[in-house]
Amino acid sequence: MKKELTIRQKSKIHSALFLGGAAVIVLGCWLSKPLEPHFLVWMGLVPFFGSVVYRLTAIRCPHCGSNMAGCRFLPKCCPDCGKELEETP
Ligand SMILES: [Zn+2]
């Protein structure tokens, strides 16, 4: 039995993928030789771009389905329908 994640939990998953991916890319750049990207750069790009796709596809208003990709931080209310995003369990 799988429970549907709340928008806050999805947002945390997105942040973890984004920051984790960025950290691996930075580490990879640090280990790279000039003109020869370290394999960690490519390893970091997967979760980094994955987080962008996840944000565009999974983080949506539970009421109207509007996506929050344009918002820097997760808002308290949906910018389209104005309803609270925090679902009650
Ligand atoms: Zn909405």
Side-chain angles (χ1 to χ4, degrees), residues 60-68 77-85:
R60 291 177 168 274
C61 171
H63 309 288
C64 70
S66 163
N67 83 48
M68 308 286 151
C77 299
C78 172
D80 279 345
C81 68
K83 289 183 183 165
E84 288 256 357
L85 292 176

Side-chain angles (χ1 to χ4, degrees), residues 19-31:
L19 294 174
V24 173
I25 292 169
V26 168
L27 185 67
C29 288
W30 188 60
L31 294 171

